[in-house]
Amino acid sequence: MDQQAHVPEVVVDDRSCISCGYNLRGLPCAGVCSECGASVSESLRDDLLQNASREYLTELLLGHRIVLITILVSIIVAVLAAIATYALGGSPGVGIALNFVSIAISIVSIVGYFKIASPNPRHVAGESPKSARQIVRYACIASLVIACVSFPLQFFTPAGSLDLITLLNVLVGLVSLVAWGMLFFGMMKHEQWLAKRVPDDWMVRRSSRYMWLLPVLYIVGALVLVGPLIALVLYWNFLDRMRKHLKSILETGAPADVKGRVSPPAIPTSAPTSTAPPPIAG
């Protein structure tokens, strides 16, 4: 009885609504949000994905599905490109067509990443502009601009000496590399943050390892050809594990029953801390 007497009847600290982000301080714990009508008690539950709004979880799931599909399509296109190059040689038309398909895949994947980085209404108020989620969105915008600029430039690439167009192509390539690097490192940290809210200890530990392992496999492993493929497969499996959790939470209210999902310590209810990706090596 004493414990029940000390349970507050109203929200005594800053808590954001899981649906719209409205500050619930001062509202009755048994009431509803003044802005959207969502239950206050639902917003006071532990900061886990299964307690997040259905709209937010749906955006995350759609984003993961889009990115996973584009990874598979990019692998298929790479194989077909190798076959076409071998069969038709260095035809300019083939090169332009492959570049167009590659840019189209990149744009679709950017849409997926942007959805994965959707804001959780519960954390918007206290989120840092340098959070991993924000870094992913900045990188998506930069990558989209680069994709729109790079395609027209290929029609002006000179066949002879170095000139301004060649320099622009090199510059765009370097900026694109930095943007995708930021996107990758930001994604790993953001996925780690999401994994803590499943919770999935396997994904939390693996995200830290993959931040250095996958770039090494992709870049250094390219010397033996299979490195990039191995890196993509590992990355795909990692993201697909989160997709399974999101799908299961939406369907059953609980994360997927996958091997290695050990619950870490209690999840804090505060907003995500600032997590900028490591600097990209030149």
Side-chain angles (χ1 to χ4, degrees), residues 39-279:
S39 171
V40 171
S41 61
E42 291 185 2
S43 298
L44 299 179
R45 293 186 295 179
D46 291 338
D47 187 13
L48 299 172
L49 286 181
Q50 50 262 50
N51 295 332
S53 67
R54 189 171 186 86
E55 293 76 12
Y56 172 65
L57 294 174
T58 300
E59 283 290 287
L60 291 183
L61 178 59
L62 179 58
H64 280 81
R65 284 174 170 170
I66 292 174
V67 172
L68 289 168
I69 290 173
T70 56
I71 292 174
L72 291 178
V73 172
S74 65
I75 293 175
I76 294 173
V77 170
V79 173
L80 294 177
I83 296 174
T85 302
Y86 177 79
L88 303 176
S91 171
V94 172
I96 293 176
L98 291 176
N99 284 337
F100 177 79
V101 172
S102 177
I103 291 173
I105 294 174
S106 296
I107 292 176
V108 175
S109 70
I110 288 170
V111 173
Y113 283 118
F114 203 79
K115 287 185 173 295
I116 291 176
S118 296
N120 186 338
R122 188 172 192 165
H123 298 128
V124 168
E127 187 180 30
S128 167
K130 296 181 180 179
S131 67
R133 186 193 71 81
Q134 294 280 29
I135 294 297
V136 172
R137 287 214 151 182
Y138 298 151
C140 284
I141 295 172
S143 299
L144 181 60
V145 173
I146 292 168
C148 294
V149 171
S150 61
F151 183 70
L153 281 177
Q154 67 182 309
F155 295 102
F156 302 100
T157 302
S161 60
L162 188 70
D163 66 0
L164 180 60
I165 299 299
T166 303
L167 291 175
L168 285 175
N169 275 292
V170 172
L171 179 61
V172 168
L174 292 175
V175 175
S176 177
L177 180 63
V178 172
W180 279 102
M182 289 178 61
L183 179 61
F184 170 74
F185 287 113
M187 268 294 296
M188 285 292 99
K189 295 301 294 184
H190 184 55
E191 288 290 314
Q192 185 180 67
W193 184 80
L194 291 174
K196 290 178 180 179
R197 283 151 180 80
V198 171
D200 189 332
D201 193 46
W202 183 93
M203 289 192 69
V204 173
R205 291 181 284 104
R206 198 57 61 97
S207 60
S208 297
R209 182 184 307 173
Y210 279 2
M211 272 194 286
W212 64 266
L213 178 60
L214 296 190
V216 170
L217 285 174
Y218 198 91
I219 298 172
V220 179
L223 299 175
V224 292
L225 300 180
V226 296
L229 179 60
I230 294 175
L232 284 175
V233 170
L234 292 175
Y235 184 57
W236 193 93
N237 287 332
F238 179 80
L239 295 182
D240 187 57
R241 187 176 174 106
M242 180 58 71
R243 180 198 63 81
K244 291 177 181 177
H245 285 313
L246 294 168
K247 182 174 182 289
S248 179
I249 290 172
L250 283 168
E251 292 179 351
T252 69
D257 184 14
V258 292
K259 185 178 180 181
R261 193 183 76 82
V262 179
S263 298
I267 304 302
T269 57
S270 59
T273 57
S274 169
T275 313

Side-chain angles (χ1 to χ4, degrees), residues 9-11 15-25 27-46 50-55 121-122:
E9 296 182 356
V10 299
V11 182
R15 293 293 185 92
S16 297
C17 174
I18 62 171
S19 179
C20 68
Y22 180 76
N23 192 336
L24 303 175
R25 177 191 281 269
L27 293 182
C29 295
V32 297
C33 173
S34 302
E35 290 293 312
C36 66
S39 171
V40 171
S41 61
E42 291 185 2
S43 298
L44 299 179
R45 293 186 295 179
D46 291 338
Q50 50 262 50
N51 295 332
S53 67
R54 189 171 186 86
E55 293 76 12
R122 188 172 192 165

